[in-house]
Amino acid sequence: MKIIAVIPARYASTRFPAKLMQDLGGKTVIRRTYEAAVRTNLFDDVFVVTDSDLIFDEIIQNGGKAIMSIKSHESGSDRIAEAVENMDVDVVVNVQGDEPFINKEALESLVAVFKNDTEQKVDLASVMFEIKEAEEINNPNNVKVITDQNGFALYFSRSVIPYPREINVGVRYMKHIGIYAFRKSALLDFYNLPMLSLEASEKLEQLRYLEYGKRIKMIETDKGSIGIDTAEDLEKARLLLKE
């Protein structure tokens, strides 16, 4: 089984323009993310796929592997699908370009899902993390996920799910962390299928997979992701790097 990691890296960002090219301890954010993915030793290959000449050159000039997107894309899945369409790979892991402090344990768990899935019942695997504070649970920027008893996703939402009509029933609220592992066939199906109403409403690409009947296995982790979405996040990352 050939497993690769692909890091979608868009230069433009609404909240923090050019964040991937910001300095983080003497290296750019995207370079640190790429090098961290390589250091996990989990993948047969690691690529950055980007729409930016600056990001492309940053990776290539520092000994990495990068691919330029040919088309414009609305989602990371679309960008990755275009890049791997003609590659001989079985599983593709999407590593977020703005998360240089990679959770290796979570990535190991995602890879293990497919290595153990001998009957090929899993189309995608992703990660979730329990949140307990009301502010986090109600924040629409925190995507929540609910699963069945076997850990397969039932739905993702920016809303509070499940709704707490009864409080003392042991419900746990799980935040979705945007790390994915795709079976290549599922990724290409996504690429070739049109967006439907749920995805359009919530602006969550993972809902397209569910709307077309794909099975998403969720892995729980006890570590939240550390992403860089704002200038304040970048300063926190710089401090963390010094520790």
Side-chain angles (χ1 to χ4, degrees), residues 130-169:
E130 185 175 11
I131 51 176
K132 298 181 179 180
E133 300 297 326
E135 183 178 352
E136 284 193 279
I137 294 168
N138 287 285
N139 186 342
N141 292 318
N142 289 337
V143 177
K144 277 71 68 175
V145 57
I146 50 175
T147 66
D148 66 16
Q149 291 298 303
N150 295 312
F152 285 94
L154 294 171
Y155 194 67
F156 298 85
S157 184
R158 298 182 184 280
S159 297
V160 177
I161 52 172
Y163 179 79
R165 186 173 185 274
E166 296 290 342
I167 296 174
N168 299 313
V169 292

Side-chain angles (χ1 to χ4, degrees), residues 29-213:
V29 171
I30 187 61
R31 183 179 167 191
R32 284 204 175 274
T33 303
Y34 178 85
E35 291 177 352
V38 171
R39 281 198 304 272
T40 65
N41 293 315
L42 293 172
F43 309 112
D44 294 299
D45 226 333
V46 179
F47 300 91
V48 169
V49 56
T50 184
D51 60 354
S52 164
D53 290 329
L54 283 174
I55 292 174
F56 180 88
D57 291 343
E58 169 69 3
I59 298 302
I60 295 295
Q61 289 171 8
N62 287 287
K65 297 182 179 182
I67 300 168
M68 281 294 293
S69 293
I70 299 171
K71 306 173 185 176
S72 60
H73 297 291
E74 291 191 10
S75 74
S77 287
D78 287 316
R79 193 177 302 281
I80 292 170
E82 180 202 292
V84 306
E85 188 170 13
N86 296 313
M87 288 187 187
D88 181 20
V89 298
D90 300 294
V91 173
V92 181
V93 179
N94 175 356
V95 175
Q96 298 297 306
D98 59 1
E99 294 187 6
F101 303 103
I102 282 176
N103 182 345
K104 182 178 178 180
E105 293 78 11
L107 293 176
E108 285 177 321
S109 297
L110 291 181
V111 169
V113 165
F114 288 94
K115 288 184 175 179
N116 296 328
D117 183 31
T118 55
E119 297 182 6
Q120 298 195 8
K121 292 184 176 181
V122 178
D123 298 300
L124 292 79
S126 195
V127 182
M128 60 185 182
F129 174 74
E130 185 175 11
I131 51 176
K132 298 181 179 180
E133 300 297 326
E135 183 178 352
E136 284 193 279
I137 294 168
N138 287 285
N139 186 342
N141 292 318
N142 289 337
V143 177
K144 277 71 68 175
V145 57
I146 50 175
T147 66
D148 66 16
Q149 291 298 303
N150 295 312
F152 285 94
L154 294 171
Y155 194 67
F156 298 85
S157 184
R158 298 182 184 280
S159 297
V160 177
I161 52 172
Y163 179 79
R165 186 173 185 274
E166 296 290 342
I167 296 174
N168 299 313
V169 292
V171 165
R172 301 170 72 214
Y173 290 91
M174 308 303 293
K175 176 182 176 180
H176 178 225
I177 299 173
I179 306 170
Y180 294 95
F182 312 89
R183 203 173 293 283
K184 181 186 173 183
S185 57
L187 181 61
L188 294 184
D189 283 345
F190 174 95
Y191 187 45
N192 291 307
L193 291 168
M195 182 188 300
L196 299 177
S197 59
L198 293 179
E199 179 188 2
S201 175
E202 297 250 21
K203 298 301 181 194
L204 298 174
E205 65 187 74
Q206 58 270 44
L207 291 176
R208 189 184 311 181
Y209 292 99
L210 291 184
E211 287 185 272
Y212 283 106

